[in-house]
Structure formats: C-alpha cells, structure tokens
Amino acid sequence: MTTIHPLATVHPGAKLGDNVTVDAYAYIAEHVEIGEGTHVLPHATIFDYVKIGKDCNVFPGAVVGAVPQDLKFDGEITYVEIGDRVNIRECATINRGTRASGKGVTKVGSDTLLMSYTHVAHDCEVGSHCILVSYVGIAGETVVEDWAILGGGTVAHQFSHIGTHAMVGGGSKITKDVPPYVLCGREPLSYAGINLVGLRRRGFTSEQIRNIKDMYDIIYMSGMTISDACDRIEAGFPQSDERDTILNFVRNSKRGIIKAPSLTSAKADFE
C-alpha cells in the first residue's frame, strides 16, 4: 500500500509503485516514476523526468531532477535515471542531462550511496555499488564506474573518468582519469598503490590482486611511456578481465591518467 502524507505535494500524474511512502512536505512532480518500496522523506524534492527504482531512500533536502547548471541547456526534455536500493542523503543534488552532450540523461546505478551534500551534475554516469562521501561534487559528463569510492570533499573536473574499484582519498581534485583498482591521493592527485583492502573485501583472489599490482608497477614504476607499458602488459600477462579492464581504460583515456607517485609515497595519506 502506497502512503502519501496529506502535507506532501504529489502530482496526480506521477507514477508511484506499491509500498511507496511519501512524507510531509515532500514534492513530487508530474513526470516522475518511483519504484515499489521507495521512501521519500520530508522536504525532499523530485522534479520532472525522473525515474527512481525500487527500495530507494530520498532524504530531507535532497533535490533530484533539477534542470542542469549548464549554459547549453535550452529547456529541452532530459532525464535522471536512478537504480534500485540507492540512498540519496540529506541535501544531495542530481541534475538532469542536456541534449547538447549527446546523452540527455544523468544516471546513478543500483546499490549506490550518495552521502549528504553530494552533487551529481548533468549527464554524469555513476555506477552501481559506488560511494560518494559527503561534499563530493562531480562536474558534467563525469563517469564513475562500479564499486568506486570518492572520499569526502573530492571534486571532479568535467569529463573525468574514475575506474571500477578505485578509491580516491578525501579532499582530492580529480583533473586526470583515475584507473581501475587503484588507490590515489595527494596534491596533485597521484597513484598510491592498488585498492588492496577493497579488492579483498570484494572477493578478488591473491593471484588477481598480485597481477593487478604487477601491471601497475609496469605502468607507473618502469619508466616506460604509457603506450609501451600497455604493450608490455598485453604481451606479458595472460588474458583476464582485470588485464583487459586496465588496458581498455588506460588506452582510451581522453584526459590522461593520474601521475606516478612522488618520492614521498602517497600511501602515507591513507595510513
């Protein structure tokens, strides 16, 4: 049974699934679709052209589907799509896409946590099982792949790409792409090893983790160019999902990947 508080504002055209709860002073516009079991808490706002999946929570002050903060936006119909079991915490904001980008949709995958005051700009793609800690801001068309974690206060330049299972230290400025499986921090943002704890928690074997580390040693420690390092990895390691994920990411990076560590190891920021 869907429950709508009498002090909530819900357009009669909005489509609410079974067992949706809408609390007092929440606002839901006409062109909104909300999956079963989702809870919209007091003072949350969901504007037009938003689709939210099942068993999500939209906390007080969150704003989902506001028009993009992009001067190219011309009032066109664009979208926000959110997966299942997503938690959108207090005062987080997720903007609609823009047609000029060629996408027109901002996406957040399932089982992702957007903590308080996070901002997901137009046409971003945030994957599943991601965590954006409080005060993270990702600019337009940023891609955050599955299982990535962005530490509190991190900001990402537009068109940035953060790879799967990567972890970015709090307060970082992302101006280059962050490859998959890595740990990074310091200023400017630099490689600090692989995300060992995260990979172990997610069931990666010791052999997989060792191979990932060895591949990044070639990329960051061998003194080779990025192109030569990728060729060495392709020739020297058997085909695997991890090898292909790293090679595809690095070879297709448009902004270039984060820098090698300085003589003072970036690992100190995480100890």
Side-chain angles (χ1 to χ4, degrees), residues 84-88 107-115 118 120 125-133 136 138 143-151 162-166 202:
D84 301 330
R85 299 172 301 280
V86 174
N87 282 293
I88 304 169
K107 296 182 179 181
V108 177
S110 297
D111 300 293
T112 282
L113 170 60
L114 305 179
M115 292 190 187
T118 53
V120 179
E125 297 180 27
V126 179
S128 298
H129 303 281
C130 294
I131 300 174
L132 274 60
V133 181
V136 164
I138 58 174
V143 175
V144 182
E145 294 185 356
D146 296 349
W147 296 101
I149 298 175
L150 305 186
I162 296 93
T164 185
H165 295 281
R202 294 161 200 156

Side-chain angles (χ1 to χ4, degrees), residues 226-247:
I226 294 297
S227 177
D228 287 345
C230 287
D231 291 343
R232 172 72 65 86
I233 290 169
E234 187 168 31
F237 289 81
Q239 190 279 329
S240 66
D241 288 343
E242 296 76 41
R243 188 199 73 167
D244 292 349
T245 296
I246 292 170
L247 290 178

Side-chain angles (χ1 to χ4, degrees), residues 58-103:
V58 185
F59 280 76
V63 180
V64 182
V67 297
Q69 299 168 68
D70 180 2
L71 295 178
K72 299 185 297 297
F73 180 70
D74 195 30
E76 66 268 21
I77 294 175
T78 54
Y79 303 93
V80 169
E81 296 178 0
I82 295 171
D84 301 330
R85 299 172 301 280
V86 174
N87 282 293
I88 304 169
R89 294 303 305 252
E90 295 83 357
C91 301
T93 54
I94 306 172
N95 288 173
R96 282 164 44 194
T98 59
R99 186 178 299 159
S101 72
K103 298 178 181 179

